[in-house]
Structure formats: C-alpha cells, structure tokens
C-alpha cells in the first residue's frame, strides 16, 4: 500500500509536535521514522494509526483519504514497544485474538494463526503463555498478532528497545525477513541510527517535528542535506571543525589553514563547519595547501586499522588510519580529504554549501 502524508501537523495546546510534514511511502517498503527522543516520530505513527486525530493536513492510503477514518477501518497492524500480550492467553490465543474480535470462525482463525506462527518461527510454542517466553519470542508473537489480520500497513513503535543488544540484532534481521516475505508496507519507529541504516528501504529523519531528509540509508549518510543529518548519522560521529572562509581558504585558527575547491562556493567571511567522516582522511607524504597538517594525540588499535585522535590547530578530531603507517603519539601527519564524506555547513543555520 502506498502511503501519502500531506502537510500533516499535530498540536497539543500551544506545542507543535509535528509541523507541515509531507512524505510519500511506496508500496511494499520498510521505512524507518528516525530521530532523537521527542522529535515527533511516534506522534506521526499514532496519526497514521488513527489513535491521534490530526490538527491539519491529510493522510492517504492508496489514494483513499483516511484522515478521519476510525483506526479499526484503516487496515493497520500495530506493534507496541511493550508488546502488550495478554498474560492469561497462550501464544495461539494471543495471535488469534484480533480474528476473534472480527468474529472469524474458529477453524479459520486457528489456521491463519498457525500460518503466522510459522512465519515468525513460533509454531512450536503455540501452547505457551507470555511469561514462559523470552523477550525476543514475545516480540515475534506480537508481530504475528499484528500480521494475522492481513493489514495493509504494519506499524512498529520502537519494538526492539526492551531487548538486549544481541536480541536486538537478531530481531531486526527477523523483522526485515518477515517484511520481505509478506511484502506489507511497514513503518518502523526508532531512535537508533544503526538499526534504521541496517534494515530500511528508506529513512525519514525528523527533528523537532520537522522532516529533515527522506532518502535511502546510504544516500542519507553520503549526501546529508544539513548539519543535523550529518551529525545524527555515523559512528563515530562526524568530525566538525569550525572556522572562517576567506579568499577560498578555510582557517580554523593560527597554523590551521586549508584550501579546497568546495570553499569557492562559500561567501567571503562566512563562518562554517568543515565536517569530515572519520574514514574520509588520506595520509600524504608532504604538506600542501589542500592538506591538513595535524598532530597525533593518541592512537587506538582496531585490528587492521587504527583510530587516531589528532589535532588541527586547537581542534581535535578522529580519523581511521591504516596501521601500516605506524603512527605514534606526538607525530605530525599530513592528511588529504576524500570528496566523499567531506562537507561544508553554515555554522549558524546548518545549511550545506
């Protein structure tokens, strides 16, 4: 199902939780709503589900205006953060429950429940109750219960946040597998950028209720529209070196100058952040106007690569450097910059040059 949100907004009194939000999600995609806590992503999810009424704008499912339609008439499946399984019911009873509400005959609902249990690899535990299941198993049951209704849209609200790190990894792979097998359009809310990058067809990144960028995961990483997008994605975080551009030269202080073609687009005297991914540095053998002459502050071993902590003028940053160079604390190293992973942002507005 194709989902269109058009100029969507949500206000709670004088507070605007979602502001002029317009996004189109294509049929059969798994899309992550990503952003820091309080950015409005769960509010968007609840408006899609019909749990929250919209303050403005429209929601369309396959061209049908569902903005004011009741939740039960929207054809959605919803998985909550806490799973919300019924403790007195078995796995079979929990999965069957939505069909029981719809008055589906017992034989049919049990057959459909068994089919969903096989899909989520819980078909050998149909007689167990939630307290006898691990967190990951409870999550599988919650997904099966949401899918048994054959929803047009599956909504997952931070479904992995209660799991430990190993289970999170396992379950996000399982969610991707299940989504690809069912081909149901799925929206997954998370604040975890690694989670979003690993399983999404597209990511919708939000901040303060406003859409920042909507793109494929790698495009979001490689081509951020603004400083917030660049900062939010990446581990380690992107390096930001503030400075001023004059005559096509970036200056981060005494002894810290750099000339790059990118600076020709920057207005004279502009205050900027030179933002560089840790993997975008290249060790060179001599100083040059387009290279950073840096002091090595520390080196951390990471197998075939090293993570170096360096300084450029008064500013520290991190860089992945091959261990072949044998860098040591106190060395001076000359670094060139790859165009991929190097950005210039306005220091005040965060806009990209």
């Amino acid at each position: 199902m194709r989902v269109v949100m058009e100029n969507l907004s949500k206000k709670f009194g004088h507070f605007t939780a979602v502001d002029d939000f317009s996004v189109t999600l294509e049929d059969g995609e798994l899309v992550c709503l990503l952003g820091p806590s309080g950015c409005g992503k769960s509010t968007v999810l609840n408006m899609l589900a019909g749990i929250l009424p919209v303050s403005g704008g429209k929601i369309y499912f396959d061209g049908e205006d569902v903005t004011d339609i009741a939740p039960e008439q929207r054809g959605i499946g919803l998985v909550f953060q806490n799973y919300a399984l019924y403790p007195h019911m078995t796995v079979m009873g929990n999965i069957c429950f939505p069909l029981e509400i719809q008055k589906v005959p017992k034989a049919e609902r049990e057959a459909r429940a068994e089919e969903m249990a096989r899909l989520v690899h819980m078909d050998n535990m149909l007689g167990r109750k939630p307290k006898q299941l691990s967190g990951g198993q409870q999550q599988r049951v919650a997904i099966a219960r949401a899918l048994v209704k054959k929803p047009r849209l599956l909504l997952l609200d931070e479904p992995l946040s209660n799991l430990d790190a190993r289970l999170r990894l396992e379950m996000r792979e399982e969610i991707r597998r299940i989504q690809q097998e069912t081909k149901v359009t799925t929206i997954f809310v998370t604040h975890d950028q690694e989670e979003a990058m690993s399983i999404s067809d597209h990511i919708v990144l939000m901040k303060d209720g406003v859409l920042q960028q909507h793109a494929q995961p790698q495009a979001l990483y490689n081509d951020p529209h603004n400083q917030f997008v660049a900062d939010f994605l990446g581990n380690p975080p992107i390096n930001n070196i503030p400075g001023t551009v004059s005559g096509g030269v970036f200056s981060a202080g005494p002894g810290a100058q750099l000339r790059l073609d990118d600076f020709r687009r920057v207005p004279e005297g502009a205050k900027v952040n030179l933002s560089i991914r840790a993997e975008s540095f290249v060790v060179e053998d001599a100083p040059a106007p387009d290279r950073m002459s840096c002091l090595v502050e520390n080196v951390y071993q990471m197998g075939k690569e090293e993570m170096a902590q360096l300084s450029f003028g008064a500013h520290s940053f991190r860089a992945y450097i091959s261990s072949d160079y044998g860098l040591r604390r106190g060395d001076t190293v000359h670094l060139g910059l790859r165009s991929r992973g190097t950005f210039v942002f306005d220091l005040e507005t965060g806009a990209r040059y």
Side-chain angles (χ1 to χ4, degrees):
M1 182 175 69
R2 190 170 189 260
V3 178
V4 176
M5 290 168 272
E6 196 174 88
N7 306 116
L8 209 57
S9 66
K10 180 61 185 176
K11 294 185 178 181
F12 297 95
H14 296 295
F15 174 70
T16 300
V18 176
D19 189 16
D20 195 24
F21 186 82
S22 295
V23 168
T24 297
L25 311 178
E26 298 300 336
D27 180 45
E29 286 190 334
L30 192 159
V31 177
C32 276
L33 286 180
L34 176 66
S37 297
C39 72
K41 53 192 186 295
S42 289
T43 302
V44 169
L45 195 84
N46 286 326
M47 287 192 286
L48 286 170
I51 295 170
L52 283 176
V54 308
S55 301
K58 295 288 184 181
I59 300 171
Y60 298 94
F61 289 177
D62 276 343
E64 177 191 1
D65 185 350
V66 299
T67 312
D68 300 315
I69 290 180
E72 62 272 16
Q73 296 175 336
R74 296 192 182 197
I76 56 111
L78 183 58
V79 178
F80 296 99
Q81 184 176 339
N82 62 0
Y83 318 143
L85 300 180
Y86 299 106
H88 63 288
M89 291 184 181
T90 62
V91 168
M92 172 64 87
N94 269 284
I95 298 174
C96 279
F97 187 72
L99 301 180
E100 191 175 340
I101 295 297
Q102 294 176 355
K103 296 185 167 41
V104 173
K106 183 177 180 181
E108 182 184 343
R109 67 177 183 251
E110 287 186 353
R112 283 167 61 178
E114 287 174 1
E115 180 187 354
M116 287 302 107
R118 283 194 296 273
L119 178 69
V120 301
H121 298 164
M122 289 294 292
D123 48 311
N124 61 341
M125 298 186 181
L126 289 171
R128 296 193 185 184
K129 292 187 176 179
K131 67 180 180 181
Q132 298 171 293
L133 305 175
S134 69
Q137 290 167 339
Q138 290 183 39
Q139 180 62 278
R140 291 168 189 262
V141 176
I143 293 170
R145 184 178 62 186
L147 288 172
V148 79
K149 297 184 293 181
K150 298 182 179 177
R152 296 191 292 167
L153 179 65
L154 179 62
L155 304 175
L156 306 169
D157 192 4
E158 302 232 25
L160 308 183
S161 58
N162 292 334
L163 304 179
D164 62 37
R166 186 169 180 176
L167 264 179
R168 285 173 75 101
L169 179 61
E170 176 187 318
M171 278 309 303
R172 76 189 189 204
E173 292 170 350
E174 278 297 286
I175 286 171
R176 184 56 170 161
R177 176 188 65 80
I178 292 164
Q179 190 274 331
Q180 288 180 325
E181 287 189 24
T182 59
K183 294 183 169 52
V184 63
T185 304
T186 301
I187 300 175
F188 183 111
V189 165
T190 182
H191 61 270
D192 186 322
Q193 51 121 346
E194 184 181 326
E195 210 162 77
M197 292 285 288
S198 65
I199 67 170
S200 306
D201 293 307
H202 283 86
I203 293 174
V204 175
L205 183 57
M206 299 179 66
K207 177 191 177 190
D208 298 333
V210 177
L211 173 67
Q212 299 297 307
Q213 193 168 344
H214 175 206
Q216 293 178 335
Q218 204 58 41
L220 212 66
Y221 184 82
N222 291 335
D223 190 22
H225 286 180
N226 59 44
Q227 184 79 66
F228 173 78
V229 177
D231 287 346
F232 197 83
L233 297 173
N235 186 25
I238 198 166
N239 298 294
N240 291 315
I241 303 174
T244 305
V245 173
S246 181
V249 176
F250 170 79
S251 176
Q257 282 77 41
L258 183 67
R259 181 183 293 276
L260 292 178
D261 289 342
D262 284 355
F263 299 136
R264 295 174 184 171
R265 302 193 300 267
V266 179
E268 184 70 13
K271 294 180 179 179
V272 303
N273 258 336
L274 176 59
S275 299
I276 313 161
R277 301 281 184 203
E279 65 272 19
S280 296
F281 296 93
V282 180
V283 176
E284 305 286 3
D285 57 4
D290 61 349
R291 297 171 187 172
M292 301 167 63
S293 293
C294 306
L295 177 69
V296 178
E297 296 179 340
N298 267 309
V299 178
Y300 305 97
Q301 299 297 326
M302 302 181 71
K304 68 174 183 176
E305 288 184 315
E306 295 173 337
M307 174 69 76
Q309 185 84 29
L310 307 108
S311 59
F312 181 58
H315 304 282
S316 290
F317 64 94
R318 300 181 186 92
Y320 285 118
I321 306 290
S322 171
S323 58
D324 294 343
Y325 291 102
L327 293 185
R328 295 291 179 265
R329 185 175 182 176
D331 288 352
T332 296
V333 63
H334 310 292
L335 299 177
L337 301 179
R338 294 186 175 95
S339 57
R340 182 171 176 173
T342 300
F343 314 102
V344 183
F345 298 104
D346 186 279
L347 191 61
E348 294 182 1
T349 68
R352 181 172 160 191
Y353 288 109

